[in-house]
Amino acid sequence: MPQQQPGPAPDPDDVLVVLAHPHGDVEVPLADWTRTGPGPRPLVRPVAARSRATGEPLPLSVIPLPYRNDDESRRAIADGLIDDPWPP
């Protein structure tokens, strides 16, 4: 059985991510998140994503691994498997 090929990468300006923040969740474009990251709160991370154009929920896999800032991405960075997108 042939493997299904992934579709084209979504437009980072169309993807909105919900960031879990101590003072309340915040929704920002993926393009902004990839540019700025968590800032002074290193554990802030995306917890949901949706299309700005359609409002449809999107899987978190639309966020490239280095920018997910979850346990998996932080472990991969610490292990040297991927570069830190927001070095100190």
Side-chain angles (χ1 to χ4, degrees):
M1 175 180 272
Q3 289 187 339
Q4 184 177 2
Q5 297 297 316
D11 176 359
D13 287 318
D14 178 55
V15 176
L16 297 173
V17 295
V18 176
L19 305 174
H21 189 278
H23 296 290
D25 293 348
V26 178
E27 190 174 69
V28 299
L30 177 58
D32 290 353
W33 171 250
T34 59
R35 189 172 37 258
T36 63
R41 296 196 179 271
L43 299 180
V44 169
R45 67 181 184 88
V47 294
R50 71 178 180 90
S51 166
R52 181 191 307 243
T54 67
E56 291 294 316
L58 298 170
L60 286 176
S61 61
V62 301
I63 304 168
L65 181 60
Y67 300 100
R68 292 182 201 160
N69 206 35
D70 59 9
D71 290 340
E72 179 185 8
S73 68
R74 288 192 299 268
R75 188 174 320 109
I77 291 166
D79 291 346
L81 301 175
I82 58 176
D83 291 332
D84 185 344
W86 310 294

